[in-house]
């Protein structure tokens, strides 16, 4: 059973940075797609970034391209999302998600991944 625990959220001013972490357990290295999605009150879930099992492929929502970077540390079983140049519209609950292969890292698929964490809140003030 895959378990995902997010951390690193918080409140920042516009233009600031945060790094989210997701510690994962219960899956086999190289067998799981990983990603981040977010959901703000009154809005649909949005796939933010995805990464293939061995990190050879990544994908980002157009709204975060050039500002967010997804990466993973296999030794620590940890997924990261580095968020720079944050905007108020980035405010949302951010969730880590995982899906066994075969899988796609396209943003639109990420909220549908089999496994997800409880989320960490990101709030960006103007």
């Amino acid at each position: 059973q895959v378990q995902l625990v997010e951390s690193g959220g918080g409140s920042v001013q516009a233009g600031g940075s945060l790094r989210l972490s997701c510690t994962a357990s219960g899956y086999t290295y190289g067998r799981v797609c990983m990603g981040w999605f977010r959901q703000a009150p009154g809005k649909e879930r949005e796939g933010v970034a995805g990464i293939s099992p061995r990190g050879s492929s990544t994908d980002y929502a157009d709204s975060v391209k050039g500002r967010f970077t997804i990466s993973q540390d296999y030794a620590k079983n940890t997924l990261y999302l580095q968020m720079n140049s944050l905007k108020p519209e980035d405010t949302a609950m951010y969730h880590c998600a995982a899906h066994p292969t075969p899988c796609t890292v396209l943003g639109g698929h990420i909220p549908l991944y089999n496994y997800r964490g409880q989320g960490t809140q990101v709030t960006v003030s103007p």
Side-chain angles (χ1 to χ4, degrees), residues 98-117:
H99 197 91
T101 56
C103 49
T104 177
V105 297
L106 291 177
H109 293 264
I110 295 169
L112 303 177
Y113 280 6
N114 276 5
Y115 306 103
R116 62 195 64 181

Side-chain angles (χ1 to χ4, degrees), residues 25-50:
S25 61
Y27 70 90
T28 302
Y29 167 78
R31 297 288 184 89
V32 181
C33 281
M34 302 290 292
W36 293 91
F37 69 91
R38 64 189 181 186
Q39 186 164 23
K43 295 186 178 180
E44 294 186 355
R45 291 175 179 174
E46 176 188 21
V48 174

Side-chain angles (χ1 to χ4, degrees), residues 8 12 38 40 54 59 71 78 88 96 102 109-111 120:
V12 297
R38 64 189 181 186
R54 294 185 180 272
D59 187 63
S71 62
T78 300
C96 172
H109 293 264
I110 295 169
T120 185

Side-chain angles (χ1 to χ4, degrees), residues 7-21 36-38 48-49 60 64-71 80-87 89-95 120-124:
S7 62
S11 297
V12 297
Q13 290 188 325
S17 299
L18 285 172
R19 189 177 78 158
L20 305 184
S21 299
W36 293 91
F37 69 91
R38 64 189 181 186
V48 174
Y60 297 90
V64 307
K65 281 181 181 177
R67 301 188 296 121
F68 290 11
T69 303
I70 189 171
S71 62
Y80 300 102
L81 184 68
Q82 178 66 45
M83 305 186 296
N84 298 328
S85 301
L86 283 162
K87 304 175 180 179
E89 50 263 45
D90 294 319
T91 295
M93 183 71 77
Y94 283 71
H95 298 264
T120 185
Q121 178 67 37
V122 172
T123 302
V124 185

